[in-house]
Amino acid sequence: MGVTVDVRQVYKYPFEQVVASFLRKYPNPMDKNVISVITVEEKRDVSTGIIYRKRIAVCQNVVPEILRKVSILKVPSIQLEEESWLNPQERNMAIRSHCLTWTQYASMKEESVFRESVENPNWELE
């Protein structure tokens, strides 16, 4: 069984600011569930200019205590892997992330694309 959720968000800020904010948003004091984010690989393709990053996030296990009675769910933290491809020339960034914990039992993934919106071509810094 699979579930797909499609969410569309239009940010009111320039592309570069949205990308920079995404890359530095965790960890922060406002979200105690994200313990750490470590960049394990970063490289730039000299022919295309695309910047590839692979990051590992360690997050608190937020599974309710009642479900943690099942031994496989009784872990203090979970790990997520995130890969991103930033294309500064075309002004877009694709992101794929998936859970590294419990992969033998279930899978979870998220895919996002950041790009300038045709709905608001006159973005200005405020």
Side-chain angles (χ1 to χ4, degrees):
M1 178 177 84
V3 175
T4 301
V5 177
D6 189 13
V7 177
R8 185 167 182 217
Q9 173 75 41
V10 177
Y11 296 100
K12 188 180 173 182
Y13 305 99
F15 173 75
E16 293 81 6
Q17 188 174 350
V18 172
V19 168
S21 295
F22 174 81
L23 292 172
R24 70 172 182 263
K25 72 180 177 180
Y26 296 118
N28 74 64
M30 301 299 287
D31 189 345
K32 304 280 188 210
N33 291 323
V34 180
I35 300 166
S36 67
V37 178
I38 301 164
T39 301
V40 294
E41 185 178 354
E42 183 170 340
K43 59 186 175 184
R44 177 188 292 264
D45 184 307
V46 292
S47 63
T48 65
I50 294 174
I51 301 167
Y52 168 80
R53 289 181 185 90
K54 182 187 287 188
R55 305 187 316 166
I56 304 294
V58 177
C59 304
Q60 295 279 351
N61 181 356
V62 295
V63 172
E65 281 296 323
I66 190 83
L67 297 176
R68 291 192 204 187
K69 304 244 184 265
V70 177
S71 63
I72 61 166
L73 298 177
K74 196 173 188 168
V75 296
S77 61
I78 60 169
Q79 290 190 339
L80 305 170
E81 180 182 79
E82 172 192 274
E83 294 179 285
S84 66
W85 297 263
L86 171 61
N87 187 331
Q89 292 174 327
E90 294 185 10
R91 298 171 62 79
N92 65 54
M93 183 166 79
I95 304 153
R96 282 196 315 230
S97 60
H98 64 275
C99 185
L100 296 174
T101 308
W102 305 311
T103 55
Q104 67 272 36
Y105 304 105
S107 65
M108 181 281 302
K109 69 177 183 172
E110 179 181 348
E111 296 182 7
S112 302
V113 176
F114 293 149
R115 63 178 171 266
E116 288 185 309
S117 172
V118 294
E119 293 177 22
N120 187 2
N122 299 315
W123 282 345
E124 300 284 334
L125 283 174
E126 295 182 355

